[in-house]
Structure formats: C-alpha cells, structure tokens
Amino acid sequence: MDIFSIPSQVWFGQLLIGLINGAFYAVLSLGLALIFGLLNIINFAHGAQYMMGAFLAWIGLTYLGINYWVALVLVPIVVGITGVIIERTMLKHLYKMDHLYGLLLTFGLALVIEGLFRHFYGVSGQPYSIPDSLKGGTNLGFMFLPNYRAWVVVASLVVCFFTWYMIERTRIGAYLRAGTENPELCQAFGINVPLMITLAYGYGVALAAFAGVLAAPIFQVQPLMGSNLIIVVFAVVVIGGMGSIMGAIATGLALGIVEGLTKVIYPPASSTIIFMIMVVVLLIRPAGLFGREQ
Amino acid sequence: MTSAVKPHSELLRVTDLHAYYGESHILHGLDFSLNRGELITLLGRNGAGRTTTLKAILGLVSRRTGSIIFNGQEILNLATHKIPHLGLGYVPEERGIFASLSVEENLLLPPQIRSDGMSVEELYEMFPNLAERRKSQGTRLSGGEQQMLALARILRTGAYVLLLDEITEGLAPVIVEKLGEVLTELKKRNYTIILVEQNFRFAAPLADRHYVIEHGHIEKVIEQADLAANMSMLHEYLGV
Ligand SMILES: Nc1ncnc2c1ncn2[C@@H]1O[C@H](COP(=O)(O)OP(=O)(O)OP(=O)(O)O)[C@@H](O)[C@H]1O
Ligand SMILES: [Mg+2]
C-alpha cells in the first residue's frame, strides 16, 4: 500500500522516529513548563542537564559497571540534586527580577556544564549499548519495531502521565498549581513555597536527566547533544504555551510526529517545520495553543 | 502552644511598625493591640495602608521594622510561611480564590494549623452553596460565593485570629447581611478578628474598637462606646 507513491514502510518508519522525538520533546518541555510556572525562569540549562543524564549513565556503565536500569533511577536523582543545589545557591536570588536574568544565568550554566564535559571527554560521541533485555525487535507485519524504541515511547508517556496526574489530581499538585498562580497567598496560608520551588526545579531537572538516560542508547552520548535538541524544545514550549502541563505533553508528541511525517512528504522542510509552526502560532495566539492570556 | 492562650489576655501587640514595598515606605510607626476574642476594625481612605498593615503582620511586605508580638512571641523575624502556623488566617482583598483549583481544592488548600478547626461537613452546612458547587472551578463561583469560600477556607485550618480584608466589597446587601451573621457567630465562638472595611455600617455594630489609619499611621482610636459621639469626625476622616 503506497500513499503519495511512498511505501507504507517509510511512513511508519518516520512515524516511529517522530513518536520517539516527540516523546523526548514531551518529557523535556514538561520539565521546562513546570519550572517556568513556579520559578518564572526559562531554564536554558535544560539541554545540558539532559546531556548530563546521558553522560552520567555512560560514565556509570563504563567506569562503575552501573547497568542501564539502575542508571535510569539513580541518574535522575543525582542530576536532580545538582538542580536543587543550583536553585538554592543561585536561582533563588533572581525571582524578583526580570525573566531575562534567569535566562542569562541558566544559559551561562549550560555553557559551563557543556564546557566541563568537553574538557574531560572531548566532542566525539560515546556509544552506549542497548540493555540486553530490550535488544532486538518485533515484526508487526507492516513494519519492524525495535524493542528499545518502543520502550522509550512507553516510558516517556508513563512519566508524562504520572507527572500530569500528580499535578492535576493530587493534593501536592494543588499546592503546586496554587503556588504557580499566587505564591504570596500560599505563603500567607503557611505553605512553604520556597521549599516547593526548590523541589519543583529538582524534579524538572530530574525529568531532563531521565530523558537523557533514555536517549543514551539511541543517540551518541556527547557534550553538545542537548544544545541542539533544546532549541527545538523551546519552540515546542512556545507553541504549547509556557506553564501549561498538558499543553507541553500534547504539543511535544504532536510536533515530533509532524516533524517525522514532514521528512517523508517534503524532507527539506523537516528541520524547520516546527519553527514555522511556532511563527504562525505566535502570530495567531501569542500565549501559545494551551496558554492562558495574561 | 495550643492552650497557652488565656481568655482575655493580650494576643497581638504591634509597636512602632514600619513597612516597605521595595523603596516605598508605607507604614510609619503603627501601634495597636488586640485581646483574645476582640474584633477591631481598621478604617481609612483608599491607599491609607490598611491592607499593608495586614500584610506586614503576615510578613508579606518586602521589609518591616518595629515589633509584632503575637501570643507572647516576637514574629517580626519569623519566616513568612511559619507565621500562619501560630494561628492566623487571612482573607485577602479580592478574595484570592485560585482559578486553577476547584472549589473543594480551594477549601482544602491551606494546611491545617490546629486540630480544632471546623470540619468540611460543618463548613458545607454553614455555606450550602459551596457544597453544591464543590467540583466547579473556584473562580466560576459568584462574588458572594467566592467570599464564603475564602472565609470557609481559613475556618477549616483552626486559625483563631482572622485577618479579613474588605470582605463586603462589591457584594449585594443580602450577602453582606449573611456575612454579618457569620462574623457575629464567629465572635460568639471567641475568634479574634481584625476587619479592614470600607462599609462602616457593616463594621460598626460588630467591633469592639475602631482604628482610623491615615498615611500609614494610626490617626485615631475610637472605642465602641464612644462611637456615637465621634460619628461626625469619623465621617470627615473617611471622606464619606
Ligand atoms: N505592592 C506594592 N508596591 C508598592 N506600593 C504599594 C504596593 N501595594 C500598595 N502600595 C501602596 O501602599 C499604600 C497603601 O496601600 P494599601 O493597599 O495598604 O491601602 P489600603 O488602605 O488597603 O487602601 P485600598 O485597599 O482601599 O486601596 C498605597 O499608597 C499603595 O499605592
Ligand atoms: Mg486595601
């Protein structure tokens, strides 16, 4: 069966790649949206923190023999703790200032973190092999589905759904939403808003690191792997609307798929399609598709 | 801490309170005090500094100096989120209902600070409208219902000192009347209340004492018993 005289295998193949990219966009933009909502800071270090996730997984495996599954749990916690330290020592001084200061500081942090990894490990990519239990693939009849890629999509969606559920349906989430909306009043009710902000940043950063560990076996592990990705993720967040959790997830997935399919229909546009959509959305709905007008 | 409050002892003493938003100096040496079970009003024109007085007590201004003794403890240097846990409940100007929370989530948001607050059932009985609309978005309620919610939300926490900022503003007379009944009931239950009001007719019969604030300091203290004799002067101060 051919569509536009392109074999269906090609369509499904690109759809899968789109889904995988979309899953990464979703997890990363979710963390960014969460951080922006509560801290009012555009976390430019997000890409570097994603890279740290992949790199620490690689370092753990190479030097310490820590396997993939342990890394998947441990690395986000470790990177999340570095996030907590960054928030406590640096970011907390910026909340009363313009967005721009947070952006500059986190941008500087990204350069420093990436610079450190380049200094010690160079720029060439390090391979990270797929864990044994996820090697191989499944023939679905219409296409061949590599198990690891299926796992990445499922794991990302589960983490996104879990985060969404926590924020929208639980008591902790109610604190978080209220803190995003009116932190001063939350303090006046006796809620420890500074602690909440610290934990939210830590969690957002941990999400980035989680995506990094997931990415390690798919992409080459190298110091700049995050800086290319993060630009697209920023576009995703702008399109979805800053601070909207569901918006970040849905937009991330959808744009990954759009990007993948564009590669089939008109390959030259595939690397710019998301930015073109961003321009159109900004013109029509400046607050983003899911954003609330201020 | 719970039982340390004696029935008619002094609960709050504010001395030489100065408060700032950034560089702007808003309160210029406020003095007043409040006994357990009393209701006082803070009156004054727009911009006099009444809201700022409540915010200064709660630590919501950028800087404050002087002294605020609550139940025998200096709270001037206490972290903002710790102050309410001493027993304070706050209804802010414009009610502060959260749009991203349902009615019930709004009601359950403030952490419990003492075990003897009203139960959710009791509050739904007191404000039946809230029970009916518990799943609605908080800000979908009418102005009156939102005000009930703002009050109910702090009564649940066990706060026994209530800071209420213009709770009658923009509400229909029947709702104002209902709020008057609620406050009368709360006074009976020995709540201590600071009421910021524009609606003097509402505040007058409830209060033990009135403080007139002007340009960030107390211009005049009027005991309830002397109210009638001071009416014309009060009208002049409030510009009504
Ligand atoms: N966040 C703020 N930053 C700077 N100045 C402020 C801020 N909030 C209030 N002010 C100023 O402080 C003064 C006192 O304001 P406040 O809100 O306490 O008045 P108020 O007596 O409650 O009056 P009303 O509520 O009727 O307007 C006003 O001059 C106001 O402009
Ligand atoms: Mg006011």
Side-chain angles (χ1 to χ4, degrees):
Chain A
M1 183 183 67
D2 293 0
I3 306 169
F4 302 142
S5 67
I6 296 165
S8 59
Q9 267 89 343
V10 175
W11 282 102
F12 286 120
Q14 283 305 325
L15 189 66
L16 178 63
I17 291 177
L19 255 180
I20 288 171
N21 285 334
F24 284 118
Y25 297 160
V27 176
L28 289 170
S29 59
L30 174 61
L32 276 180
L34 180 67
I35 291 169
F36 181 77
L38 214 53
L39 283 78
N40 252 334
I41 276 181
I42 300 165
N43 185 34
F44 239 92
H46 219 68
Q49 283 152 338
Y50 157 87
M51 177 275 289
M52 274 172 83
F55 238 105
L56 292 192
W58 176 81
I59 290 172
L61 186 66
T62 312
Y63 299 104
L64 307 168
I66 294 173
N67 77 29
Y68 174 85
W69 299 105
V70 176
L72 199 58
V73 176
L74 202 60
V75 168
I77 293 174
V78 171
V79 180
I81 290 171
T82 67
V84 164
I85 294 169
I86 289 172
E87 197 280 334
R88 283 286 81 192
T89 55
M90 297 179 231
L91 297 180
K92 73 163 185 183
H93 302 293
L94 302 179
Y95 298 141
K96 296 219 169 82
M97 300 189 209
D98 195 84
H99 294 333
L100 198 59
Y101 290 89
L103 192 143
L104 284 173
L105 180 79
T106 53
F107 184 60
L109 277 171
L111 293 180
V112 170
I113 295 169
E114 284 169 356
L116 280 173
F117 278 88
R118 271 168 80 165
H119 176 74
F120 288 108
Y121 299 102
V123 284
S124 61
Q126 314 285 352
Y128 187 104
S129 62
I130 293 174
D132 289 338
S133 49
L134 291 175
K135 284 208 168 103
T138 313
N139 195 342
L140 300 178
F142 54 90
M143 69 175 288
F144 180 77
L145 178 67
N147 290 343
Y148 188 76
R149 303 200 164 215
W151 156 250
V152 166
V153 174
V154 171
S156 304
L157 289 183
V158 167
V159 162
C160 284
F161 180 77
F162 171 79
T163 307
W164 172 83
Y165 185 86
M166 288 300 286
I167 294 174
E168 297 296 337
R169 293 286 180 270
T170 68
R171 206 172 152 73
I172 297 174
Y175 282 158
L176 213 98
R177 277 174 280 145
T180 301
E181 201 178 321
N182 189 345
E184 181 177 86
L185 187 55
C186 287
Q187 294 251 83
F189 287 152
I191 297 170
N192 191 343
V193 176
L195 177 67
M196 210 162 77
I197 288 178
T198 305
L199 295 180
Y201 188 74
Y203 185 74
V205 169
L207 278 180
F210 178 80
V213 181
L214 284 181
I218 297 186
F219 307 116
Q220 294 275 322
V221 177
Q222 53 108 340
L224 298 180
M225 65 189 283
S227 55
N228 306 326
L229 183 60
I230 206 65
I231 300 299
V232 181
V233 173
F234 276 119
V236 171
V237 175
V238 170
I239 293 168
M242 275 286 185
S244 160
I245 298 303
M246 205 25 139
I249 298 171
T251 316
L253 275 176
L255 288 176
I257 293 169
V258 167
E259 196 183 37
L261 296 183
T262 308
K263 207 164 261 168
V264 189
I265 299 164
Y266 186 62
S270 65
S271 59
T272 46
I273 180 76
I274 289 183
F275 298 100
M276 293 192 273
I277 294 173
M278 181 180 86
V279 170
V280 174
V281 168
L282 280 180
L283 288 175
I284 299 168
R285 268 186 74 95
L289 294 178
F290 297 85
R292 276 183 288 265
E293 308 279 342
Q294 294 287 323
Chain B
M1 181 210 93
T2 340
S3 55
V5 192
K6 287 169 246 101
H8 288 287
S9 60
E10 183 174 273
L11 195 55
L12 179 72
R13 169 164 293 274
V14 173
T15 318
D16 194 29
L17 179 64
H18 291 254
Y20 305 77
Y21 292 116
E23 293 298 304
S24 0
H25 189 170
I26 307 294
L27 299 186
H28 301 266
L30 234 66
D31 298 282
F32 66 93
S33 68
L34 184 58
N35 292 335
R36 171 98 165 149
E38 279 187 327
L39 188 153
I40 62 164
T41 67
L42 304 181
L43 306 171
R45 295 171 207 257
N46 291 113
R50 297 162 304 150
T51 296
T52 307
T53 306
L54 299 187
K55 285 192 168 185
I57 294 170
L58 291 164
L60 300 176
V61 293
S62 27
R63 194 161 73 82
R64 48 197 186 141
T65 65
S67 162
I68 304 171
I69 308 278
F70 183 81
N71 206 9
Q73 181 187 355
E74 177 60 66
I75 63 170
L76 202 71
N77 297 314
L78 210 57
T80 305
H81 68 267
K82 290 193 179 146
I83 294 174
H85 290 274
L86 302 173
L88 282 86
Y90 178 42
V91 174
E93 219 166 12
E94 331 234 284
R95 307 165 192 128
I97 300 303
F98 292 93
S100 52
L101 270 57
S102 70
V103 169
E104 190 148 274
E105 284 176 325
N106 265 287
L107 185 61
L108 297 177
L109 181 75
Q112 208 116 21
I113 53 187
R114 280 155 44 107
S115 54
D116 56 356
M118 292 189 200
S119 69
V120 173
E121 294 74 46
E122 210 177 337
L123 287 165
Y124 279 151
E125 209 169 294
M126 201 167 178
F127 307 109
N129 288 17
L130 300 183
E132 279 166 37
R133 308 208 48 195
R134 65 179 82 183
K135 296 286 172 226
S136 314
Q137 186 188 353
T139 44
R140 289 277 160 82
L141 296 181
S142 72
E145 290 168 331
Q146 286 191 33
Q147 194 64 69
M148 303 299 169
L149 178 55
L151 256 173
R153 151 170 98 170
I154 55 167
L155 294 176
R156 193 191 61 85
T157 66
Y160 61 96
V161 180
L162 311 182
L163 312 184
L164 311 180
D165 199 345
E166 308 230 20
I167 55 172
T168 62
E169 196 181 19
L171 299 183
V174 270
I175 315 247
V176 174
E177 202 174 307
K178 160 97 181 169
L179 281 171
E181 285 163 22
V182 171
L183 287 198
T184 309
E185 174 63 25
L186 293 177
K187 263 197 88 172
K188 263 195 223 136
R189 298 194 190 191
N190 209 30
Y191 279 86
T192 307
I193 299 171
I194 303 182
L195 193 62
V196 168
E197 261 307 327
Q198 293 276 24
N199 185 344
F200 186 68
R201 294 236 319 271
F202 170 78
L206 297 164
D208 296 297
R209 201 160 51 256
H210 304 276
Y211 291 90
V212 180
I213 299 184
E214 209 163 73
H215 303 303
H217 69 271
I218 306 272
E219 188 68 31
K220 190 87 189 143
V221 188
I222 303 169
E223 294 294 333
Q224 181 67 0
D226 308 329
L227 194 58
N230 285 286
M231 274 322 272
S232 62
M233 182 201 61
L234 200 55
H235 281 201
E236 208 162 293
Y237 274 125
L238 303 180
V240 287

